[in-house]
Amino acid sequence: MSGTTGKGKKRDEHDTTSDGDAETHAPPKKSIKKDSDKDSPGDIFVAELSKNRKVSVRIWQGKVWVDIREFYDKDGKQCPGKKGISLSKDQWIVLRDHISEIDKAVQD
């Protein structure tokens, strides 16, 4: 049983350390969000589907994404909303390869 007590003490010390680690890991997650905001102006605008829907191509975390997204007006500026989808390059290729099938289904 004394061995169990020793483990408890080690766990307590470890738990305190991990709590401190958790606090130090939280700020980098926030800074990642800020970095992604800086990438937004570098988007390549492709098409405006409607007044508030756009297609763009962007690079995020070193990967190419096709972004189909709704926008909203804020202080006279259009900002990307939560509603939308970002397709990886591989996903975009699959969608592109099925366009004729989608067209046929839409016309039927």
Side-chain angles (χ1 to χ4, degrees):
M1 285 195 162
S2 63
T4 306
T5 307
K7 274 188 170 180
K9 287 183 182 178
K10 286 184 182 178
R11 282 186 181 167
D12 289 343
E13 290 172 12
H14 179 63
D15 287 344
T16 304
T17 305
S18 66
D19 288 345
D21 288 345
E23 290 177 28
T24 58
H25 289 292
K29 288 181 183 176
K30 290 180 182 176
S31 66
I32 289 172
K33 281 187 175 181
K34 289 179 183 176
D35 290 342
S36 67
D37 290 344
K38 291 178 185 175
D39 292 341
S40 296
D43 291 357
I44 300 168
F45 173 75
V46 177
E48 188 168 305
L49 302 176
S50 66
K51 180 183 175 187
N52 292 327
R53 289 187 183 152
K54 296 180 182 180
V55 179
S56 62
V57 177
R58 63 188 175 99
I59 297 175
W60 186 70
Q61 293 186 344
K63 295 182 181 178
V64 176
W65 297 90
V66 176
D67 198 37
I68 304 169
R69 189 148 309 277
E70 285 190 357
F71 284 72
Y72 64 95
D73 291 325
K74 182 178 180 181
D75 300 328
K77 182 180 176 185
Q78 282 203 325
C79 300
K82 291 181 180 181
K83 291 183 180 181
I85 186 168
S86 294
L87 301 173
S88 68
K89 189 174 180 180
D90 292 337
Q91 292 169 333
W92 167 251
I93 290 169
V94 170
L95 179 62
R96 184 190 67 194
D97 290 345
H98 290 87
I99 290 295
S100 60
E101 296 166 34
I102 296 168
D103 262 346
K104 185 178 176 183
V106 169
Q107 291 176 6
D108 289 348

